[in-house]
Amino acid sequence: MTAYHYPTTLDETCALLDDGEDTMVYGGGTAVQILLKQGVLFATDLVDIGGVPGLDEITETSKGLRVGPLVTLRSMETSPIVRRVAPIAAEVYGRVANPRVRNTASVGGNIAHGDYRLDPPTALMVLDATVELTSRRGSRKVPAREFFVDFQQTALEHGELVSAIEIPSQPESAGAHFAKLSSLAANDWPAASAAALVVQGSRGKRDVRLGLGALSHVPVFLQFEAAADTSVDDVVTAAKDAATPLLDPLPDVRGSSDYKRRLGLVAVEEAIRNSWKEGSDDHRRVSIFGRRRR
Ligand SMILES: Cc1cc2nc3c(=O)[nH]c(=O)nc-3n(C[C@H](O)[C@H](O)[C@H](O)COP(=O)(O)OP(=O)(O)OC[C@H]3O[C@@H](n4cnc5c(N)ncnc54)[C@H](O)[C@@H]3O)c2cc1C
């Protein structure tokens, strides 16, 4: 029999997690419920953090957003603050599964689940988000890009919970796009996904960032620089060349490794084509200036 605990403070939560052997946090329960029933997960104790105040808040900070672990995926999708400060994050959280799952699943539970196919980490990695982990020992911060350690393994250590995710503001001039390709149904897990963020750098360069989902045993991040006047075709080629050696998809009911590898390159191309704005940054500055004067 699994025992349920309902702490009302973070300290109490940390104590329960630290003292227990097979004790797990219960977030929205959408993954835990299924995996316990299937016998894939075993827990003697579940700690429901729903009674701890403040864990379901989205706060705008000087650098971006601070998101509590119990914020639902649906709130990330619909929050006017998230849509303004980090629109690619709102877009990606809004593409997870279906409204029923998104209304229940939490931001903390999503990332802690550690599945290599998860959609949100693709956006968190391109935005350079940080995961805050708290335990009796205090808090530490891990970049989202380093959070996924191995197949279904994250940086979470015994006694820790995800206490917040910090998401830097998406630069206003950046191009962004999320490509999610599913082979069974539109709202199913992806067979391949790619989030792209193209940020203006210095000296006529642009910083091209890609977060890939379902294409290896962990979410994959890659980054390269391209001159602002490069043609989109050349950027697509560069992105595919950079991604190809990192693709090592697991075969499953959604397709073979080879199929997913090919689909991964299609997702990369879609994400880049929709986030790369043709023309040098000088030209873009002129046209933005022109629009503002009207
Ligand atoms: C039908 C279906 C379709 C899905 N499709 C997709 C999809 O297309 N894309 C996608 O990205 N995901 C998909 N998912 C997965 C879904 O996103 C996850 O189930 C969900 O995000 C997990 O969040 P939760 O709050 O329900 O976590 P829970 O089920 O509560 O917990 C999941 C794991 O995280 C741990 N945990 C929870 N909260 C914390 C915390 N604060 N700190 C530390 N550990 C914690 C739990 O102990 C458990 O190990 C799908 C799920 C279902 C059921």
Side-chain angles (χ1 to χ4, degrees):
M1 272 280 280
T2 307
Y4 283 77
H5 304 268
Y6 301 94
T8 52
T9 66
L10 205 50
D11 284 350
E12 207 186 326
T13 305
C14 292
L16 284 162
L17 292 174
D18 202 34
D19 292 342
E21 261 306 303
D22 292 310
T23 304
M24 298 176 71
V25 178
Y26 189 97
T30 60
V32 157
Q33 290 279 10
I34 294 173
L35 296 174
L36 285 176
K37 274 189 196 142
Q38 289 175 337
V40 177
L41 268 187
F42 173 76
T44 52
D45 298 80
L46 284 173
V47 181
D48 184 332
I49 55 175
V52 180
L55 297 186
D56 59 353
E57 288 169 11
I58 299 172
T59 316
E60 189 170 358
T61 65
S62 58
K63 292 182 180 158
L65 300 171
R66 182 178 167 85
V67 180
L70 281 184
V71 170
T72 63
L73 309 193
R74 180 77 176 145
S75 299
M76 291 298 283
E77 171 190 2
T78 57
S79 156
I81 301 175
V82 181
R83 291 168 83 109
R84 174 170 49 79
V85 176
I88 187 67
E91 161 74 14
V92 174
Y93 277 104
R95 299 282 295 280
V96 173
N98 53 57
R100 199 169 156 198
V101 170
R102 294 199 295 278
N103 270 320
T104 312
S106 66
V107 161
N110 181 269
I111 198 158
H113 186 36
D115 196 293
Y116 63 99
R117 301 164 299 176
L118 291 171
D119 297 311
T122 63
L124 296 176
M125 291 189 301
V126 297
L127 287 165
D128 201 10
T130 305
V131 187
E132 181 188 89
L133 304 176
T134 297
S135 70
R136 253 184 184 161
R137 305 178 289 281
S139 289
R140 65 187 179 108
K141 291 184 180 178
V142 179
R145 296 170 187 174
E146 294 167 21
F147 185 73
F148 300 92
V149 176
D150 209 335
F151 179 73
Q152 296 281 2
Q153 272 183 44
T154 69
L156 271 162
E157 289 174 3
H158 177 82
E160 285 183 324
L161 81 155
V162 175
S163 47
I165 297 186
E166 291 177 351
I167 307 177
S169 310
Q170 181 173 326
E172 268 181 39
S173 60
H177 186 81
F178 180 56
K180 175 169 177 172
L181 304 178
S182 305
S183 52
L184 296 183
N187 61 6
D188 184 38
W189 287 93
S193 70
L197 187 73
V198 178
V199 181
Q200 289 195 41
S202 55
R203 297 169 284 109
K205 298 275 188 189
R206 290 187 198 162
D207 178 18
V208 182
R209 306 175 190 174
L210 275 166
L212 309 179
L215 289 166
S216 185
H217 56 295
V218 285
V220 170
F221 175 71
L222 64 120
Q223 186 172 26
F224 61 92
E225 264 192 348
D229 56 4
T230 310
S231 74
V232 69
D233 289 340
D234 286 348
V235 185
V236 166
T237 303
K240 285 181 171 178
D241 286 348
T244 298
L246 306 175
L247 304 185
D248 187 17
L250 303 171
D252 62 15
V253 65
R254 291 171 182 84
S256 65
S257 300
D258 188 46
Y259 170 73
K260 290 185 183 178
R261 204 173 278 117
R262 289 170 193 223
L263 216 54
L265 295 179
V266 174
V268 166
E269 175 156 0
E270 181 189 321
I272 293 290
R273 283 203 185 277
N274 287 285
S275 55
W276 183 263
K277 296 165 188 168
E278 292 265 15
S280 73
D281 291 336
D282 283 347
H283 293 150
R284 290 181 57 212
R285 267 199 292 275
V286 168
S287 72
I288 289 165
F289 183 60
R291 264 210 310 274
R292 279 196 184 137
R293 279 173 56 143
R294 254 185 275 143

